[in-house]
Amino acid sequence: MAIRCQSPSQLKFHHISTTNSTEPQHPSVSFFPKSHFQSSLKLKFFASAVHKSVAVTAEPEPVFTSVKSFAPATIANLGPGFDFLGCAVDGIGDFVTLRVDPSVHPGEVSISDISGAGSKLSKNPLWNCAGIAAIAVMKMLNIRSVGLSLSLEKGLPLGSGLGSSAASAAAAAVAVNELFGGELSVSKLVLAGLESESKVSGYHADNVAPAIMGGFVLIRSYDPLELMQLKFPHEKDLFFVLVNPEFEAPTKKMRAALPQEVTMSHHVWNCSQAGALVASVLQGDLTGLGKALSSDKIVEPRRAPLIPGMEAVKKAAIEAGAFGCTISGAGPTAVAVTDDEETGRKIGERMVEAFMEGGNLKAMAMVKQLDRVGARLVSSVPR
């Protein structure tokens, strides 16, 4: 899906895999000729729309009195894919509970409660990721007759490198949409989430897109914003070893450490590694994926020294059998990849030890799989 945030804008969506499959046809979908992709890569579908100039003509009625949604954690960058590659992780994330509330002014949203790891967050919806995304979806749906109350349950720590703000935005966007019957497309939900991200953590979609879409996502372009979903083979096993130290790495601080210019040799190297990573994802080649994941020469060398023990952690992960290891997003979480859950636990133990020995930091390890679904409704109460 491709989205431009300015109006007027174009929206495109590309879905590619290395296997043939049949997709149900939608009235707004037209198929491209196969020549647009070489070899066995197939362009699944393309949709176009105009953001803001195309509005829902009638205000939808709420179909539920309350809903609860979930959005997963995400791993951005994946080594050489700074700001243009990301994936969703199963089993951890944020929950949003949304209900119709007569005490809230019509057309507005109120944040009633924030629990879990979000005690520092503002309840002002204009300064909260979930609130901003919820408001964006309400505007898209032209909601003016009812007010909404939102409760946010943070399962992801702030500044962890696991897409905490994106998970909140994605869960809120899906909750509002589902409360009113699910009229908006996935592409519009990504737009709403990106509006939130751009105000809070910067204009980058490598967290919020996979949080909403699931799986691996490539940001092909930012002007216009164009997203491509990459299909990792279902028959292949992929486990992420996520090790989160007790250390906060604010995204703004970690971005400030990045170089303003890069050498041509490093540019060529990172491009080749990113290409290899994408090919490895599509082929289900974990050896190639891990090798590319570990090969960033531009961003990781600047950020790793800011995270105590990170270089020792990466070395420990690979020595313990990981196919590769890098920083998740802006950090401080380290992510390693393997094809076996038990091996992943052993790798995690060594990485935790390395954080303590190399950085004097306590850390927690978990082994998770790829989330192929993305943000979704988990419960609802009919009217």
Side-chain angles (χ1 to χ4, degrees):
M1 95 201 46
I3 312 134
R4 169 174 284 182
C5 289
Q6 293 96 358
S7 179
S9 62
Q10 294 179 333
L11 175 139
K12 302 177 183 176
F13 180 87
H14 301 304
H15 190 170
I16 61 176
S17 72
T18 55
T19 57
N20 294 322
S21 66
T22 303
E23 299 287 348
Q25 190 167 354
H26 186 279
S28 64
V29 174
S30 60
F31 288 89
F32 270 140
K34 294 181 180 179
S35 61
H36 278 257
F37 277 79
Q38 294 180 346
S39 186
S40 59
L41 297 183
K42 307 297 182 183
L43 180 59
K44 292 300 183 71
F45 61 91
F46 169 88
S48 64
V50 178
H51 177 46
K52 294 183 179 178
S53 63
V54 176
V56 178
T57 55
E59 178 182 359
E61 293 284 333
V63 297
F64 302 106
T65 58
S66 69
V67 296
K68 186 174 184 178
S69 63
F70 170 81
T74 48
I75 301 168
N77 302 338
L78 296 170
F82 176 71
D83 271 8
F84 67 86
L85 283 173
C87 68
V89 178
D90 186 45
I92 52 174
D94 288 359
F95 290 90
V96 162
T97 300
L98 191 74
R99 63 185 178 88
V100 176
D101 190 343
S103 68
V104 177
H105 191 276
E108 295 182 1
V109 61
S110 171
I111 298 178
S112 59
D113 182 63
I114 300 176
S115 61
S119 60
K120 297 180 181 179
L121 296 177
S122 171
K123 288 186 179 181
N124 183 337
L126 298 177
W127 294 96
N128 182 285
C129 298
I132 296 169
I135 291 169
V137 174
M138 291 177 73
K139 288 180 179 179
M140 291 177 181
L141 292 171
N142 196 31
I143 303 302
R144 296 171 296 175
S145 301
V146 297
L148 304 177
S149 179
L150 184 153
S151 176
L152 173 62
E153 181 183 338
K154 289 294 298 177
L156 297 175
L158 307 180
S160 62
L162 292 172
S164 179
S165 61
S168 297
V174 166
V176 176
N177 189 45
E178 293 298 326
L179 188 76
F180 292 95
E183 295 192 9
L184 296 181
S185 64
V186 171
S187 59
K188 289 292 184 71
L189 298 180
V190 173
L191 275 173
L194 183 58
E195 184 171 333
S196 173
E197 283 283 82
S198 65
K199 293 180 180 178
V200 176
S201 63
Y203 190 82
H204 59 94
D206 48 345
N207 286 117
V208 73
I212 289 176
M213 297 163 61
F216 286 90
V217 177
L218 164 69
I219 290 80
R220 179 177 178 178
S221 166
Y222 274 95
D223 186 20
L225 182 64
E226 183 176 349
L227 309 175
M228 303 177 71
Q229 193 164 36
L230 310 175
K231 295 282 282 184
F232 185 84
H234 277 273
E235 66 273 13
K236 297 283 187 175
D237 291 324
L238 169 59
F239 293 90
F240 298 102
V241 184
L242 300 167
V243 181
N244 178 232
E246 294 182 355
F247 180 82
E248 191 169 331
T251 301
K252 288 185 178 180
K253 177 182 177 181
M254 300 305 278
R255 281 185 174 267
L258 301 181
Q260 296 299 308
E261 297 180 351
V262 298
T263 65
M264 180 61 73
S265 62
H266 283 176
H267 165 70
V268 172
W269 171 264
N270 264 42
C271 286
S272 66
Q273 298 309 306
L277 195 151
V278 169
S280 297
V281 167
L282 295 172
Q283 296 168 3
D285 175 11
L286 287 191
T287 300
L289 191 159
K291 187 176 180 181
L293 188 85
S294 305
S295 300
D296 174 30
K297 287 188 176 181
I298 297 175
V299 177
E300 185 181 310
R302 293 297 189 99
R303 287 178 166 174
L306 302 179
I307 304 171
M310 180 58 74
E311 293 178 4
V313 169
K314 181 175 181 177
K315 181 180 179 181
I318 294 173
E319 289 179 350
F323 291 115
C325 179
T326 189
I327 301 170
S328 177
T333 296
V335 55
V337 291
T338 183
D339 59 357
D340 178 75
E341 187 172 8
E342 183 58 34
T343 300
R345 292 194 184 97
K346 294 177 181 177
I347 293 169
E349 291 173 0
R350 286 295 300 118
M351 293 170 71
V352 168
E353 292 172 1
F355 260 126
M356 177 55 70
E357 295 170 1
N360 197 31
L361 293 177
K362 293 180 180 180
M364 177 187 69
M366 49 189 165
V367 181
K368 301 293 181 181
Q369 291 183 286
L370 181 71
D371 185 309
R372 299 175 183 268
V373 179
R376 62 267 197 184
L377 194 67
V378 296
S379 65
S380 60
V381 178
R383 295 189 72 185

